[in-house]
Amino acid sequence: MDVRRLKYFIVTAEERSISRAAERLHITQPPLTRHIQSLEEELGVLLFTRTSWGVELTQAGTALLKHAHNISAHIELATEQIRRVASGQAGRIDIGVFGSAMLNIIPKLLSAFSATHPDVRIVLHNTPKEKQINALQQGRILGAFDRYLPELPNIATVRVCREPLWVALHCDNPLSRQPRIGIDDLRKEPLIDEQDPSVSIACRELFTHHHFEPVVVQKAADLIAATIMVSGGFGSALLPESILNLRLPNVIYRPLVTDIDCMIDLHFAYRKDEESPLLDELLYCVRNYRHHATESEVANHPGEE
Amino acid sequence: MDVRRLKYFIVTAEERSISRAAERLHITQPPLTRHIQSLEEELGVLLFTRTSWGVELTQAGTALLKHAHNISAHIELATEQIRRVASGQAGRIDIGVFGSAMLNIIPKLLSAFSATHPDVRIVLHNTPKEKQINALQQGRILGAFDRYLPELPNIATVRVCREPLWVALHCDNPLSRQPRIGIDDLRKEPLIDEQDPSVSIACRELFTHHHFEPVVVQKAADLIAATIMVSGGFGSALLPESILNLRLPNVIYRPLVTDIDCMIDLHFAYRKDEESPLLDELLYCVRNYRHHATESEVANHPGEE
DNA sequence: GTTCGCCATACCGATTTCGTATGGGCGAGT
DNA sequence: ACTCGCCCATACGAAATCGGTATGGCGAAC
């Protein structure tokens, strides 16, 4: 059963005449006659009764006509959707994220992507970093957002944004009275470090540059855990600016002023050999993204005026 | 887009290998490779990624696979239904009935037909007899049940059943005390005739045979109207046995005993040139129908013991 | 009775489709 | 490292299919 024959049949049924249908289909009458015949033969059913003025649908033909419209429409819909999937306008996209990346641009970036790609389903995989690299290399996810990533031969990265460091302070801490924190203010301050190297590597550089050893009182699993500890009064923490999106009781954020340029990066990682058009679409979206949001985040923070 | 190609695609996707799929499809590998290629070309989309151990669906291929199953199933369902329609196992059947025929075997016959042909929709057209003959000749109905039909060149009839005559009496009529009525009991009896010739022709023969002119006090449109008049006390009426199915207050039915064989027939009429398989099915059902029901109807009639 | 329109058939060239044979690429096993 | 096996892709000839023109049969209309 060829769909072309089905369309020939539909036109013939509409015209109630093989000759006129052939005209509409831009072919001559004999081939169309044979198409109808072979369709009838294939189904083992008479579809038309031949009259002196043309043809007329039998009951079986009427039944076929109803289905033919549906089937034809169904196929066209399917081809349309497949083309959309192939061009990256529809489908499913699996993305890994880790901890604090969720506080950053992820929601904005992905909702921007969703707006231009409404038929793409985005599935986030919020798992530990090692698992994510595995998943990425095995193709279980298409890409991942992470702050720090080791160099890997088949993985490429693009920087999504850079953020300055802020200090999270408990409200009882006298430093929270200052509008901004200098690096020397932290010399005796009990600090909360995080296990993930994303921020701590940057901090370590900073401290060695200013020649002092920080007083680390806790180790947190990720940035969010670190902030919760600040809220509990265990100490202060150095965090990227996007932490302002996380509001916790008794926590006050203050910008960190440093001599050297000390910024925290967020990267998007993907396989170099991946050919999915969805990746192209997503990369295009990532590259064109500007991290405008920070200003409003700062403005909305109650501790800042 | 050929459906055969769609099935080839489905098998290939299931086997994740063109070679194995070709084996399952009883063709060799190169044609199948080309089928996949031309399908991809037709859609303008890569459906499989070729690996060293076989092929793997792309996202577009996965999307097609979902639709392919539906489309294939849809087509098979359609062909199945079309074959059923063509063989008279499904479809629609338009039948004309007239007045009292509805009291007779119609419900039983048609429900018997429905039981063996559950997918045939039966549409009854309860219209005056002249309109029915028109509708029958113009093909708007497939057949008609009527008691009396004029001879027409292109119309064939089969007798569905024969019924004896009964007399409908008002309960106050002294004749209703008798278990049965003789023809001579009706000589002075006021009678209700019906306009439709179905019964009255038979009655007229009966009366001429017994040499008397009946006392006709009313003319009813059909048998049901005649019975209603009996119920109203306007007189008595001669009616076919199936009228026992119609229960009206104050009406008592008694069998009519005659010298000559006087039976009322019910016919099924159809076009001689009609080729619909549904007609064949219906005719088969009509011919095999035995009018067993009358005995139980008589037994259930309260006036009889 | 003639003509006209329609469907069906016959036949022919172009295209497509299937088969066999073969080449290239990758992984496994020796 | 090399061979072998397996897979997909391609080349090419035979068969089938599809589209065209020419023509015949049939019924309706004039």
Side-chain angles (χ1 to χ4, degrees):
Chain A
M1 165 109 59
D2 194 337
V3 177
R4 186 167 42 108
R5 281 199 176 145
L6 222 54
K7 290 186 179 167
Y8 284 1
F9 165 77
I10 291 174
V11 174
T12 307
E14 284 173 356
E15 293 290 337
R16 305 171 92 78
S17 155
I18 296 182
S19 307
R20 281 198 303 276
E23 201 173 341
R24 249 182 68 185
L25 293 165
H26 306 296
I27 59 172
T28 54
Q29 168 257 321
L32 184 55
T33 294
R34 283 195 301 270
H35 275 298
I36 301 293
Q37 284 172 344
S38 63
L39 193 60
E40 290 177 326
E41 196 177 346
E42 184 182 337
L43 294 169
V45 155
L46 201 72
L47 295 172
F48 294 101
T49 54
R50 276 68 169 174
T51 71
S52 62
W53 49 266
V55 294
E56 203 170 3
L57 280 174
T58 61
Q59 282 213 18
T62 311
L64 176 58
L65 186 59
K66 286 181 194 162
H67 289 289
H69 279 124
N70 291 339
I71 291 169
S72 179
H74 195 163
I75 287 174
E76 292 197 8
L77 216 78
T79 58
E80 181 55 31
Q81 203 211 315
I82 289 156
R83 291 210 178 92
R84 289 170 61 79
V85 169
S87 69
Q89 299 303 309
R92 168 181 167 157
I93 205 168
D94 288 81
I95 292 177
V97 290
F98 174 66
S100 63
M102 283 299 292
L103 289 174
N104 202 302
I105 65 161
I106 303 288
K108 286 166 206 137
L109 179 69
L110 294 186
S111 68
F113 183 80
S114 280
T116 53
H117 301 75
D119 293 335
V120 177
R121 207 177 114 217
I122 298 172
V123 180
L124 292 180
H125 298 260
N126 197 342
T127 49
K129 188 172 292 188
E130 317 82 51
K131 283 199 174 181
Q132 260 181 51
I133 292 169
N134 255 330
L136 185 57
Q137 286 186 317
Q138 292 172 11
R140 294 204 309 276
I141 59 177
L142 189 66
F145 288 97
D146 271 302
R147 296 199 181 276
Y148 175 81
L149 281 163
E151 287 284 328
L152 288 166
N154 57 340
I155 302 291
T157 59
V158 288
R159 191 174 63 201
V160 181
C161 69
R162 319 198 66 173
E163 307 174 76
L165 277 174
W166 283 55
V167 187
L169 302 160
H170 193 274
C171 56
D172 293 343
N173 190 319
L175 285 175
S176 69
R177 305 284 170 271
Q178 301 180 205
R180 54 192 65 84
I181 310 293
I183 190 72
D184 288 331
D185 296 328
L186 300 173
R187 285 193 184 273
K188 300 287 174 208
E189 194 66 19
L191 291 180
I192 297 156
D193 198 8
E194 61 161 351
Q195 285 174 334
D196 187 75
S198 55
V199 176
S200 53
I201 283 179
C203 294
R204 214 157 303 281
E205 279 183 28
L206 188 65
F207 294 140
T208 42
H209 182 261
H210 285 86
H211 310 292
F212 78 89
E213 189 67 22
V215 185
V216 174
V217 292
Q218 294 281 343
K219 282 250 182 198
D222 61 15
L223 302 184
I224 297 170
T227 315
I228 292 171
M229 288 180 178
V230 172
S231 174
F234 292 96
S236 308
L238 293 175
L239 299 163
E241 188 174 65
S242 58
I243 201 68
L244 297 187
N245 288 311
L246 179 65
R247 302 280 175 82
L248 287 176
N250 306 323
V251 177
I252 304 233
Y253 300 111
R254 290 289 178 255
L256 180 69
V257 182
T258 59
D259 304 349
I260 60 168
D261 192 38
C262 182
M263 301 288 273
I264 308 295
D265 295 340
L266 179 68
H267 296 98
F268 176 68
Y270 58 94
R271 282 187 305 283
K272 287 175 184 167
D273 61 348
E274 177 63 53
E275 289 168 0
S276 164
L278 282 170
L279 177 60
D280 299 338
E281 295 288 314
L282 186 59
L283 275 175
Y284 181 82
C285 189
V286 165
R287 293 210 176 94
N288 281 36
Y289 189 80
R290 296 276 167 272
H291 190 31
H292 293 304
T294 309
E295 296 80 358
S296 67
E297 283 165 19
V298 175
N300 286 338
H301 184 56
E304 182 82 0
E305 56 267 57
Chain B
M1 165 111 57
D2 195 337
V3 177
R4 188 166 42 105
R5 284 201 175 144
L6 222 54
K7 290 185 178 168
Y8 285 0
F9 165 77
I10 291 175
V11 174
T12 306
E14 283 173 356
E15 293 289 337
R16 306 170 89 79
S17 155
I18 296 183
S19 308
R20 281 198 303 278
E23 200 174 344
R24 250 182 67 186
L25 292 166
H26 306 296
I27 59 173
T28 54
Q29 169 257 319
L32 184 54
T33 295
R34 283 195 299 271
H35 273 299
I36 300 294
Q37 284 173 345
S38 64
L39 194 59
E40 289 177 326
E41 194 176 348
E42 184 182 338
L43 294 169
V45 155
L46 201 72
L47 295 172
F48 293 101
T49 53
R50 276 68 169 174
T51 71
S52 62
W53 50 263
V55 292
E56 203 170 3
L57 279 174
T58 61
Q59 282 213 21
T62 311
L64 176 58
L65 186 58
K66 285 181 192 160
H67 288 289
H69 280 123
N70 290 339
I71 291 169
S72 177
H74 194 163
I75 287 174
E76 292 198 8
L77 216 79
T79 58
E80 181 55 32
Q81 202 210 318
I82 289 157
R83 292 210 178 91
R84 288 171 62 78
V85 168
S87 68
Q89 299 303 309
R92 167 178 167 158
I93 205 167
D94 289 82
I95 292 177
V97 291
F98 174 65
S100 64
M102 283 298 292
L103 290 173
N104 203 305
I105 64 159
I106 303 287
K108 287 169 206 134
L109 179 69
L110 294 187
S111 68
F113 183 79
S114 281
T116 53
H117 301 74
D119 294 334
V120 177
R121 207 176 114 219
I122 298 172
V123 180
L124 292 180
H125 297 258
N126 198 342
T127 49
K129 187 172 296 189
E130 318 81 52
K131 283 199 174 182
Q132 260 179 52
I133 292 170
N134 255 330
L136 185 57
Q137 288 186 317
Q138 292 171 10
R140 294 203 310 276
I141 59 176
L142 189 65
F145 288 98
D146 271 302
R147 295 196 182 278
Y148 175 80
L149 282 163
E151 287 284 329
L152 288 166
N154 56 340
I155 302 292
T157 60
V158 289
R159 191 173 63 202
V160 181
C161 69
R162 319 200 65 175
E163 308 174 74
L165 276 174
W166 283 55
V167 186
L169 301 159
H170 193 274
C171 56
D172 294 342
N173 190 320
L175 285 175
S176 68
R177 306 284 170 273
Q178 300 180 206
R180 56 191 65 82
I181 310 293
I183 190 72
D184 287 330
D185 294 329
L186 301 173
R187 283 192 185 275
K188 298 290 173 208
E189 194 65 22
L191 291 180
I192 295 155
D193 198 9
E194 61 159 352
Q195 286 173 332
D196 187 77
S198 55
V199 176
S200 53
I201 284 180
C203 293
R204 213 158 306 280
E205 280 184 28
L206 189 66
F207 293 142
T208 42
H209 182 261
H210 286 87
H211 310 292
F212 78 88
E213 189 68 23
V215 184
V216 175
V217 292
Q218 293 283 339
K219 282 253 181 196
D222 62 15
L223 301 183
I224 296 170
T227 315
I228 292 170
M229 288 180 178
V230 172
S231 175
F234 292 95
S236 309
L238 291 176
L239 300 163
E241 188 173 66
S242 56
I243 200 68
L244 296 186
N245 287 312
L246 180 66
R247 301 282 177 79
L248 286 176
N250 305 323
V251 176
I252 304 235
Y253 300 111
R254 290 290 178 256
L256 180 67
V257 182
T258 58
D259 304 350
I260 60 168
D261 192 36
C262 181
M263 303 287 272
I264 307 296
D265 295 340
L266 179 67
H267 295 98
F268 176 69
Y270 59 94
R271 284 185 304 282
K272 285 176 184 166
D273 61 349
E274 176 62 53
E275 289 169 0
S276 164
L278 282 169
L279 177 59
D280 299 337
E281 295 287 312
L282 186 60
L283 275 175
Y284 180 84
C285 189
V286 165
R287 292 210 178 94
N288 279 36
Y289 190 82
R290 296 277 166 271
H291 189 33
H292 294 304
T294 310
E295 296 81 356
S296 66
E297 285 165 17
V298 173
N300 287 336
H301 185 56
E304 180 81 359
E305 56 268 65

